[in-house]
Amino acid sequence: MVNETKGLLVVISGPSGAGKGTICKKLMEKNNFWLSVSATTRSPRAGEENAKSYYFLTRDEFEEKIKCNDFLEYAEVYGNLYGTPRSSVMEMIDNGKNVILEIDIQGALKVKEAFPEGVFIFILPPSMEELKNRIIGRGSETPESLMTRFKSAYKEINYVSKYNYAVVNDEVALAVEKIQGILVAEKCRVDRIKEDILDNKEGIVHEQFYD
Amino acid sequence: MVNETKGLLVVISGPSGAGKGTICKKLMEKNNFWLSVSATTRSPRAGEENAKSYYFLTRDEFEEKIKCNDFLEYAEVYGNLYGTPRSSVMEMIDNGKNVILEIDIQGALKVKEAFPEGVFIFILPPSMEELKNRIIGRGSETPESLMTRFKSAYKEINYVSKYNYAVVNDEVALAVEKIQGILVAEKCRVDRIKEDILDNKEGIVHEQFYD
């Protein structure tokens, strides 16, 4: 009676140090999740494969795709362009695959404008104290840059109100479980499946009683 | 960082024959679910206990509660009043318990007006064919009353658009699993927990950096 075969675009976002990467890695180990592959104009590094690590494009190719509106979002970082290709994401969703997009907050907000029917999940650190510990744990930070990163993460948490869900990453397995629950719920949301229910109902009853 | 301790009001509704009762019974076997006890003016039957089967009230007591706005919904059926007491539901929710309310569509829509922050779940039969089989399976139906019930169920499915979620009851265990996923998701919904996140964040950071 209900068509639940279309996939979801699941956007995993949040401040750096919240643990987005680890969560996405664990999600990928579950069935039916596909990581969105970004496009970039930067050169491939040793071991990087085209269409797996990135879609490697020339600047001309990339700019052509911008003109054709084929990016859900894109940004220039240190002179290189990075973007999320719309067509490859849409193809996977149409084939019933849930596409995971791990992305920073600015990128996520752009994706939300381009594709509001995505599921936008904000990953929160268990506490600001723990966030500080995680940023310190990564090393290679001077006290000044640590403070900058921390203050930036602090400000970024205000963007949680733009998201659909917030998941506290105190324990990775638990956070992943919550995200799986969110996807189950999203596939039952009336806003998503109303048309299917009402269309099918009509068909079945018509057949049985009015023909 | 996030207060997830408040319970949810989970309204399980849908056409007769969809299997609401079986699903609620299974949900009750899980932890942390409490069934809402209705109030009624009808006399207790053998074996029925006050505050367990129903809250048994006199008509005066019931009407006094209506005046005090202590019903999330109420209705008169064959000369007896039935209602969902607001105060006992709210008390359980405040104590972190998820309250299940199994109720027909008219009742659910009244509850939604009184308490829109509830989680409104519409239980669907796997097909209209299967719904017909289930109604026949209950016996004690003449062909005419079967057709009346069936046509009424058919019309009722249109109300799905007033609900938050629709769950197809093709397999009870699977439907229950979906409802559990919905509750996990609802507790992560930014609309519900935004205040807590932003309040707590402020507190923690203030303590660490600005005092």
Side-chain angles (χ1 to χ4, degrees):
Chain A
M1 198 157 180
V2 179
N3 171 12
E4 291 176 4
T5 54
K6 221 177 170 193
L8 298 168
L9 175 61
V10 185
V11 178
I12 304 286
S13 181
S16 78
K20 300 188 288 291
T22 321
I23 286 175
C24 288
K25 221 169 123 188
K26 288 279 170 198
L27 275 173
M28 291 299 296
E29 291 166 12
K30 311 280 171 186
N31 283 336
N32 207 20
F33 281 108
W34 296 73
L35 203 63
S36 163
V37 176
S38 297
T40 183
T41 59
R42 81 154 167 73
S43 311
R45 292 179 193 144
E48 285 184 341
E49 271 180 75
N50 188 42
K52 283 203 170 170
S53 316
Y54 284 96
Y55 295 104
F56 294 103
L57 304 178
T58 64
R59 182 166 278 261
D60 280 353
E61 287 168 335
F62 200 108
E63 285 173 350
E64 187 56 35
K65 280 183 182 290
I66 294 176
K67 272 191 211 140
C68 297
N69 195 27
D70 190 33
F71 287 113
L72 287 172
E73 59 79 38
Y74 68 92
E76 186 146 4
V77 182
Y78 299 123
N80 291 311
L81 289 160
Y82 293 84
T84 305
R86 184 193 299 269
S87 50
S88 64
V89 167
M90 291 307 124
E91 199 181 304
M92 286 194 277
I93 287 175
D94 287 341
N95 288 328
K97 287 162 185 154
N98 299 316
V99 179
I100 299 177
L101 182 56
E102 182 199 338
I103 195 166
D104 65 18
I105 292 166
Q106 295 313 313
L109 297 182
K110 284 187 205 160
V111 174
K112 201 182 171 196
E113 264 176 52
F115 195 72
E117 54 277 52
V119 181
F120 294 83
I121 303 176
F122 196 94
I123 306 298
L124 283 166
S127 68
M128 294 310 284
E129 175 92 44
E130 176 58 22
L131 182 70
K132 199 176 69 177
N133 293 340
R134 288 180 191 177
I135 294 174
I136 293 172
R138 291 185 175 180
S140 77
E141 301 278 346
T142 64
E144 292 73 28
S145 75
L146 166 66
M147 188 56 115
T148 306
R149 285 189 63 146
F150 184 79
K151 282 196 170 166
S152 142
Y154 171 69
K155 275 189 202 139
E156 283 181 328
I157 288 179
N158 288 323
Y159 286 101
V160 71
S161 55
K162 306 273 186 194
Y163 287 70
N164 305 119
Y165 299 97
V167 170
V168 180
N169 183 23
D170 39 9
E171 211 185 299
V172 175
L174 198 62
V176 168
E177 231 173 73
K178 285 180 181 179
I179 292 170
Q180 290 185 289
I182 289 169
L183 299 193
V184 167
E186 282 289 325
K187 295 208 167 179
C188 295
R189 264 187 54 210
V190 165
D191 290 346
R192 286 192 194 280
I193 59 179
K194 191 166 52 184
E195 310 296 314
D196 279 325
I197 296 168
L198 298 178
D199 287 358
N200 272 301
K201 174 198 128 167
E202 198 62 53
I204 292 159
V205 172
H206 211 77
E207 213 171 89
Q208 292 188 330
F209 289 94
Y210 303 106
D211 280 355
Chain B
M1 199 158 183
V2 179
N3 172 12
E4 291 176 5
T5 55
K6 222 177 169 192
L8 297 168
L9 175 61
V10 185
V11 178
I12 304 287
S13 181
S16 79
K20 300 188 287 290
T22 322
I23 286 176
C24 287
K25 219 169 124 189
K26 288 279 171 197
L27 275 173
M28 292 299 297
E29 290 165 13
K30 311 280 171 186
N31 284 336
N32 208 20
F33 282 108
W34 296 73
L35 202 64
S36 164
V37 176
S38 297
T40 183
T41 59
R42 82 151 165 76
S43 311
R45 291 177 194 145
E48 284 185 343
E49 270 182 74
N50 188 41
K52 282 202 169 170
S53 315
Y54 284 95
Y55 295 104
F56 293 102
L57 303 178
T58 65
R59 183 166 275 264
D60 281 354
E61 286 169 337
F62 200 109
E63 284 173 349
E64 186 56 34
K65 280 182 182 292
I66 294 176
K67 273 191 210 140
C68 296
N69 195 26
D70 191 32
F71 287 113
L72 287 172
E73 58 79 38
Y74 68 93
E76 186 146 4
V77 182
Y78 299 123
N80 291 310
L81 289 160
Y82 294 83
T84 305
R86 184 191 298 269
S87 51
S88 64
V89 167
M90 292 306 124
E91 199 180 303
M92 287 193 277
I93 287 175
D94 287 342
N95 288 328
K97 287 161 185 155
N98 299 317
V99 179
I100 299 178
L101 183 56
E102 183 200 337
I103 194 165
D104 64 18
I105 292 167
Q106 296 314 313
L109 297 182
K110 285 186 204 161
V111 174
K112 201 182 171 195
E113 265 176 50
F115 195 72
E117 54 276 51
V119 182
F120 294 83
I121 303 175
F122 196 93
I123 306 298
L124 283 166
S127 68
M128 295 309 285
E129 175 92 44
E130 176 60 21
L131 182 70
K132 200 176 68 176
N133 293 340
R134 287 181 191 176
I135 293 174
I136 294 172
R138 290 186 176 180
S140 76
E141 300 278 346
T142 63
E144 293 73 28
S145 75
L146 166 67
M147 188 55 117
T148 306
R149 285 189 62 148
F150 184 79
K151 281 197 171 165
S152 140
Y154 171 69
K155 276 188 200 140
E156 283 182 328
I157 289 179
N158 289 322
Y159 287 100
V160 70
S161 56
K162 307 274 187 194
Y163 287 70
N164 305 119
Y165 299 97
V167 171
V168 179
N169 183 23
D170 39 8
E171 211 186 299
V172 175
L174 198 63
V176 168
E177 230 173 73
K178 285 181 181 178
I179 292 171
Q180 289 185 292
I182 289 170
L183 300 193
V184 166
E186 282 289 324
K187 295 209 167 177
C188 295
R189 264 188 52 211
V190 165
D191 290 345
R192 287 193 194 280
I193 58 179
K194 191 166 54 184
E195 310 294 313
D196 279 326
I197 296 168
L198 297 178
D199 288 359
N200 272 300
K201 175 197 128 168
E202 199 61 52
I204 292 159
V205 172
H206 210 78
E207 213 172 85
Q208 292 188 329
F209 288 95
Y210 302 106
D211 280 356

